[in-house]
């Protein structure tokens, strides 16, 4: 895996800005799929399998946020889902996602900073695979809740150091303490293969969580 784009980021992840991260993923976009798949990247398939258990209607309307180059969308398409939209802050990544033809509607959205391009009560589920490794405004969960239908699901995954009792970015507290959400499930699943690094941030197994809109 080519870590060159990531190596330019600040070592303290709390110091990484969204603008900096956007530029990094723009730079990485052309090689992203190859680099992730070369080490094994089951995270997207694991998230899609969770959605399939929750929503076996293949016409369900799903928003894949932080969609990047569209790997999650490919997994959805492979098992027959046809009504998937995508958003990401990296326009370069989204252009690659568009070319794959796995999404109905693709739009730029910087999570926690911008309104989701959708009406209230639009989606049956939202997936976010990755993305939460830096501080993002927790207001994003209210915005996600807005565009979900009543009873709709948020399916996401978090690194162990982020989804810990310390709750360093406040994501657990924002979801668990909100009257807008009820927790459905949480389990450890593989996110990516083993990496040749001593950086404790990179854990192969992440917390895959499901919350439902009340």
């Amino acid at each position: 895996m080519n870590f060159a784009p990531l190596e330019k980021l600040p070592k303290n992840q709390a110091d990484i800005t969204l603008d900096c991260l956007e530029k990094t993923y723009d730079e990485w976009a052309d090689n992203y799929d190859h680099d992730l798949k070369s080490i094994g990247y089951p995270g997207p398939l694991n998230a899609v399998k969770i959605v399939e258990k929750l929503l076996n209607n293949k016409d369900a309307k799903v928003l894949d946020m932080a969609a990047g180059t569209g790997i999650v969308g490919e997994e959805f398409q492979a098992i027959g889902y046809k009504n998937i939209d995508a958003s990401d802050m990296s326009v370069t990544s989204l252009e690659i996602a568009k070319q794959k033809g796995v999404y109905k509607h693709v739009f730029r959205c910087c999570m926690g900073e911008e309104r989701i391009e959708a009406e209230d009560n639009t989606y049956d589920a939202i997936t976010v695979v990755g993305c939460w490794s830096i501080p993002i405004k927790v207001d994003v969960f209210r915005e996600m809740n807005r565009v979900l239908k009543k009873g709709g699901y948020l399916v996401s995954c978090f690194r162990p150091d982020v989804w810990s009792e310390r709750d360093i970015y406040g994501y657990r507290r924002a979801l668990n303490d909100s009257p807008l959400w009820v927790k459905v499930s949480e389990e450890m699943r593989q996110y990516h293969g083993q990496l040749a690094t001593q950086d404790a941030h990179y854990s192969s197994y992440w917390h895959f969580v499901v919350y439902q809109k009340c």
Side-chain angles (χ1 to χ4, degrees):
M1 181 175 177
N2 178 13
F3 276 99
L6 295 181
E7 288 170 356
K8 299 177 183 179
L9 294 170
K11 297 305 179 185
N12 182 357
Q13 303 234 327
D15 293 334
I16 299 174
T17 64
L18 288 170
D19 181 63
C20 179
L21 201 63
E22 179 181 358
K23 291 175 182 175
T24 297
Y25 280 97
D26 280 345
E27 178 185 339
W28 195 9
D30 286 339
N31 296 315
Y32 185 82
D33 287 20
H34 172 269
D35 290 346
L36 267 293
K37 291 177 181 180
S38 69
I39 61 160
Y41 187 39
L45 178 57
N46 278 328
V48 168
K49 284 180 177 178
I50 292 171
V51 174
E52 187 178 28
K53 288 182 179 179
L54 297 167
L55 301 169
N56 57 18
N57 174 14
K58 297 301 171 68
D59 291 320
K61 192 167 180 62
V62 180
L63 173 60
D64 179 23
M65 297 193 72
T69 57
I71 297 176
V72 173
E74 290 180 284
E75 299 290 2
F76 271 120
Q77 185 186 65
I79 60 172
Y81 285 86
K82 319 183 270 289
N83 204 9
I84 313 298
D85 292 345
S87 70
D88 197 275
M89 65 179 176
S90 168
V91 173
T92 306
S93 297
L94 286 178
E95 284 302 317
I96 294 172
K98 284 181 185 178
Q99 292 168 17
K100 293 178 178 179
V102 296
Y103 296 115
K104 273 199 164 182
H105 177 50
V106 175
F107 59 95
R108 186 189 180 280
C109 180
C110 185
M111 284 175 48
E113 302 294 328
E114 297 170 342
R115 187 178 188 273
I116 297 171
E117 192 178 297
E119 298 299 322
D120 296 1
N121 309 306
T122 295
Y123 294 103
D124 297 293
I126 293 174
T127 55
V128 187
V129 179
C131 176
W132 302 110
S133 300
I134 67 167
I136 295 172
K137 292 177 182 176
V138 296
D139 290 347
V140 69
F141 296 121
R142 181 177 290 274
E143 178 64 359
M144 290 175 177
N145 194 278
R146 178 185 69 79
V147 301
L148 278 172
K149 298 175 184 176
K150 184 175 177 60
Y153 298 98
L154 168 62
V155 177
S156 192
C157 55
F158 297 83
R159 268 188 353 215
D161 64 312
V162 173
W163 197 257
S164 66
E165 291 295 332
R166 291 178 58 218
D167 194 20
I168 55 177
Y169 302 141
Y171 300 145
R172 283 177 52 151
R173 185 167 57 255
L175 286 165
N176 291 335
D177 293 353
S178 171
L180 301 176
W181 301 100
V182 60
K183 188 174 182 179
V184 175
S185 66
E186 176 182 340
E187 58 186 307
M188 296 293 287
R189 292 195 179 199
Q190 190 173 19
Y191 180 72
H192 57 58
Q194 292 293 328
L195 303 179
T197 177
Q198 299 300 311
D199 193 328
H201 291 306
Y202 295 105
S203 173
S204 293
Y205 283 80
W206 288 28
H207 295 267
F208 282 72
V209 303
V210 178
Y211 284 81
Q212 187 173 29
K213 177 176 178 175
C214 296

